[in-house]
């Protein structure tokens, strides 16, 4: 199944988008704005009202005004034309990632494996969207008058169409043999379909044979696929500010359909979701969602975004939404029988989003020890980032007893000797008070001495109490004592 998206008179519709009061009147666009008052200037495009009055693109303005004195000539608006063409491309991408750009006003999409559209896109009221079993038949159906949007055209539906529709549909070399067909008394496509294929080929040539095959649905050409630039961001400005979560998710889902079509067309997946919520009179809210697994479907991408949206407290109604996906290569891996892995990896982004909502951005990750001698220093590795490189194991401790550290260390009061070399004598507070009977140390540790704000220093002792329990005692200068752990 193929679909044709055709917007008749795109330059005229683009010019009228800035002049809503001129919609009920016949209007035409002059290609060169400097020739707006030239009576011989050709018309570039006309709107539907002027087309019903018999005015066609290409004729001079004085001839068109002689036929219709109420015709209004409008200057061309290239910016509005580009915006309208971009909207057409987005609609085609939302239908299928495989489509052909015949002209700026005509696109043909291959709907193989896609769901056919059920209604006309509301953003372009004049758009014609037709369905047929071959690309050329879908193009022919889009040129039919009056238009029948959303209908699946079968071969018999083309019989009443006139032969004059063939040049509009871009049928190759049809203008060279159309006069011959009219001399034979043919007026409709149905009459042309009834002619014998071999006889018409012998008398007119291969071009007529190809046309005969098109009308019988036997010619299925390959589309010259259009690939959009690798831009994976969308900005949606709302006509009325959005105040409900459901409306915001609906707009995000529509944007994800277009972005996922681009990802699939380029064999990519999304690794990070970035979004901005824009308000009319407040600063925007920006967030990034790191996905643990590359995703390329709208439903999967919408799930973690929904979780983050639920946690946000917005100051006012939302005026615009900006979405951006960071493309990565899709994950292709064979599951291991004995290796440990997530049981439901598609739920992991939702879990991370909920944790970041509770703890704040940048507070969720895998703690990785820093490569220095300072105890309890670590950095957060992204939970969904690349694998953590393995570190070489440290040499085993010379002590035969393992140290069971307290988390966090216990702050205690200590009686110590006076002078420059302070030695602990007894623990005065904490869960293990008493005199110190044995002592080993001090062990001096320090680092980052070149950094005034980050330099550190600690003094450690291994102490034995009266009950023969062994502890590690730490002094943080100038006078803070910590019970760091117990040897067990």
């Amino acid at each position: 199944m193929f679909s044709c998206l055709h917007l008749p008179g795109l330059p005229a519709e683009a010019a009228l988008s800035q002049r809503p009061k001129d919609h009920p009147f016949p209007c035409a666009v002059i290609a060169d704005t400097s020739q707006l008052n030239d009576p011989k200037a050709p018309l570039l495009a006309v709107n539907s009202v002027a087309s019903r009055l018999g005015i066609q693109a290409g004729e001079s303005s004085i001839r068109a005004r002689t036929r219709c004195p109420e015709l209004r000539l409008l200057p061309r608006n290239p910016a509005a034309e580009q915006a309208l063409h971009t909207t057409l491309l987005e609609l085609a991408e939302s239908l299928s990632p495989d489509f052909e750009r015949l002209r700026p006003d005509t696109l043909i999409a291959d709907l193989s494996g896609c769901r056919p559209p059920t209604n006309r896109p509301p953003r372009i009221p004049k758009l014609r969207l037709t369905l047929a079993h071959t690309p050329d038949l879908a193009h022919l159906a889009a040129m039919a008058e009056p238009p029948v949007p959303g209908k699946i055209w079968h071969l018999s539906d083309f019989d009443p169409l006139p032969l004059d529709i063939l040049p509009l549909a871009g049928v190759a070399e049809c203008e060279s043999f159309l006069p011959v067909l009219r001399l034979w008394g043919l007026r409709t496509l149905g009459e042309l379909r009834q002619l014998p294929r071999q006889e018409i080929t012998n008398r007119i040539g291969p071009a007529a044979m190809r046309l005969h095959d098109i009308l019988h649905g036997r010619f299925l050409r390959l589309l010259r696929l259009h690939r959009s630039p690798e831009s994976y961001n969308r900005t949606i400005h709302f006509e009325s500010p959005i105040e409900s979560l459901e409306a915001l998710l609906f707009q995000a889902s529509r944007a994800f359909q277009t972005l996922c079509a681009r990802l699939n067309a380029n064999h990519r997946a999304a690794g990070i979701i970035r979004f901005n919520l824009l308000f009319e009179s407040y600063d925007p809210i920006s967030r990034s969602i790191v996905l643990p697994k590359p995703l390329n479907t709208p439903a999967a991408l919408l799930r973690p975004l929904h979780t983050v949206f639920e946690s946000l407290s917005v100051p006012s109604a939302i005026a615009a939404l900006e979405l951006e996906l960071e493309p990565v290569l899709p994950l292709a891996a064979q599951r291991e029988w004995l290796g440990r892995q997530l049981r439901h990896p598609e739920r992991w982004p939702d879990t991370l989003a909920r944790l970041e909502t509770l703890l704040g951005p940048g507070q969720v990750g895998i703690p990785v020890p820093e490569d220095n001698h300072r105890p309890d220093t670590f950095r957060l590795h992204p939970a969904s980032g690349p694998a953590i490189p393995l570190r070489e194991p440290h040499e085993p401790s010379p002590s035969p007893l393992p140290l069971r550290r307290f988390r966090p260390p216990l702050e205690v009061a200590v009686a110590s000797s006076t002078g420059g070399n302070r030695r602990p004598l007894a623990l005065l507070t904490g869960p293990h008070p008493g005199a110190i009977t044995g002592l080993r140390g001090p062990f001096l540790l320090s680092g980052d001495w070149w950094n005034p704000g980050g330099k550190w220093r600690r003094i450690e002792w291994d102490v034995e109490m009266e009950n023969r329990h062994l502890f590690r005692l730490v002094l943080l200068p100038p006078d803070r004592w910590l019970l760091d752990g117990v040897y067990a």
Side-chain angles (χ1 to χ4, degrees):
M1 185 69 65
F2 294 85
S3 174
C4 180
L5 290 81
H6 174 62
L7 181 61
L10 184 144
E13 296 296 334
L16 286 171
S17 64
Q18 309 296 328
R19 308 164 67 103
K21 295 182 179 180
D22 292 336
H23 277 281
F25 301 96
C27 301
V29 172
I30 301 295
D32 190 354
T33 306
S34 62
Q35 298 179 355
L36 195 60
N37 298 321
D38 186 358
K40 296 183 180 180
L43 303 181
L44 175 65
V46 299
N47 67 343
S48 57
V49 180
S51 179
R52 287 194 295 267
L53 296 176
I55 302 175
Q56 299 178 357
E59 60 182 343
S60 62
S61 59
I62 187 172
R63 181 177 177 180
R65 277 187 162 171
T66 302
R67 184 178 302 170
C68 178
E70 297 180 353
L71 181 67
R72 300 188 178 187
L73 299 181
L74 307 178
R76 191 174 182 182
N77 191 336
E81 291 179 23
Q82 181 61 35
L84 201 54
H85 177 60
T86 302
T87 305
L88 274 177
L89 292 176
E90 292 174 354
L91 287 175
E93 287 182 340
S94 66
L95 296 178
S96 171
D98 299 328
F99 65 93
E100 177 181 358
R101 177 182 177 274
L102 285 176
R103 297 190 301 269
D105 61 352
T106 306
L107 307 173
I108 297 180
D110 183 2
L111 301 182
S112 301
C114 303
R115 180 179 300 177
T118 56
N119 51 12
R120 185 193 309 179
R123 287 185 283 175
I124 309 179
K126 301 292 184 181
L127 178 67
R128 299 183 180 182
L129 194 153
T130 55
L131 302 172
H133 294 284
T134 67
D136 297 294
L137 290 179
H139 194 187
L140 276 172
M143 301 298 153
E145 293 289 349
V148 186
K151 171 187 175 182
I152 299 179
W153 286 66
H154 301 283
L155 296 179
S156 58
D157 298 328
F158 293 91
D159 290 347
L161 299 182
L163 293 178
D164 296 335
I165 201 175
L166 295 176
L168 299 177
V171 178
E173 303 178 4
C174 66
E175 295 182 355
S176 61
F177 57 81
L178 276 182
V180 178
L181 298 179
R182 295 191 182 98
L183 287 176
W184 292 353
L186 303 180
R187 295 294 180 267
T188 64
L189 298 182
E191 296 172 350
L192 177 59
R193 289 180 66 237
Q194 296 176 6
L195 295 180
R197 179 175 183 271
Q198 189 61 41
E199 296 298 330
I200 192 175
T201 303
N202 294 337
R203 286 168 173 77
I204 298 181
M209 178 185 66
R210 184 180 300 108
L211 175 59
H212 194 274
D213 291 341
I214 289 174
L215 296 179
H216 282 81
R218 300 172 186 153
F219 183 72
L220 183 61
R221 66 178 181 86
L222 297 177
L223 297 182
R224 296 183 293 273
L225 299 181
H226 172 81
R227 293 305 183 211
S228 301
E230 294 187 3
S231 174
Y232 303 102
N233 51 50
R234 286 291 309 277
T235 301
I236 307 174
H237 296 276
F238 308 127
E239 295 181 0
S240 300
I242 286 181
E243 299 181 357
S244 64
L245 177 62
E246 291 76 12
L248 183 61
L249 290 175
F250 175 75
Q251 296 292 340
S253 177
R254 292 180 58 182
F256 277 148
Q257 290 179 3
T258 300
L259 296 177
C260 288
R262 296 180 184 177
L263 289 173
N264 295 326
N266 293 285
H267 306 286
R268 292 293 186 271
I272 299 177
I273 303 175
R274 298 185 180 92
F275 70 88
N276 294 328
L277 297 179
L278 307 180
F279 308 95
E280 293 180 344
S281 56
Y282 293 91
D283 294 334
I285 296 178
S286 302
R287 293 288 188 274
S288 296
I289 305 175
V290 181
L291 304 175
K293 177 183 178 182
L295 304 174
N296 57 1
T297 59
L301 292 172
L302 191 63
R303 194 176 298 114
L305 193 68
H306 184 186
T307 302
V308 176
F309 281 167
E310 284 183 329
S311 66
L312 295 179
S313 177
V314 296
S316 67
I318 301 171
L321 170 65
E322 296 179 356
L323 281 175
E324 180 183 359
L325 301 181
E326 182 172 315
V328 296
L329 291 175
L331 183 62
Q334 181 178 357
R335 295 187 177 273
E336 301 177 1
W337 286 359
L338 304 177
R340 293 183 299 175
Q341 56 189 348
L342 293 175
R343 184 175 182 181
H344 299 288
E346 66 278 1
R347 300 181 185 176
W348 184 237
D350 189 21
T351 303
L352 288 181
R354 292 179 183 274
L355 289 175
E356 288 195 356
T357 301
L358 294 173
L359 304 177
Q363 302 298 319
V364 179
I366 301 173
V368 180
E370 293 283 1
D371 192 12
N372 55 35
H373 295 283
R374 186 177 184 181
D376 296 333
T377 58
F378 63 92
R379 56 183 173 84
L380 278 181
H381 184 82
S384 57
I388 304 174
L390 296 177
R391 297 177 56 184
E392 293 294 334
H394 294 288
E395 295 182 0
S397 173
S399 173
L401 296 177
L403 176 66
R404 183 169 60 86
R405 304 188 64 187
F406 300 134
R407 302 290 189 180
L410 306 177
E411 191 159 355
V412 295
V414 176
S416 61
S417 61
T418 59
N421 188 11
R422 301 179 59 181
R423 296 170 57 87
L425 302 177
L427 301 183
L428 304 180
T429 61
H432 307 284
I436 297 175
T437 59
L439 185 68
R440 184 183 178 189
F443 306 106
L444 305 180
L445 298 176
S446 63
D448 296 337
W449 50 267
W450 57 88
N451 184 4
K455 61 182 180 180
W456 58 275
R457 180 168 174 256
R458 57 188 280 147
I459 306 172
E460 298 180 353
W461 285 272
D462 291 336
V463 298
E464 182 181 4
M465 308 300 295
E466 292 176 329
N467 55 7
R468 304 187 66 81
H469 287 174
L470 303 178
F471 296 95
R472 173 174 290 178
L473 190 62
V474 177
L475 170 62
L476 300 181
D479 196 22
R480 186 185 177 196
W481 294 87
L482 300 176
L483 202 59
D484 195 44
V486 58
Y487 287 99

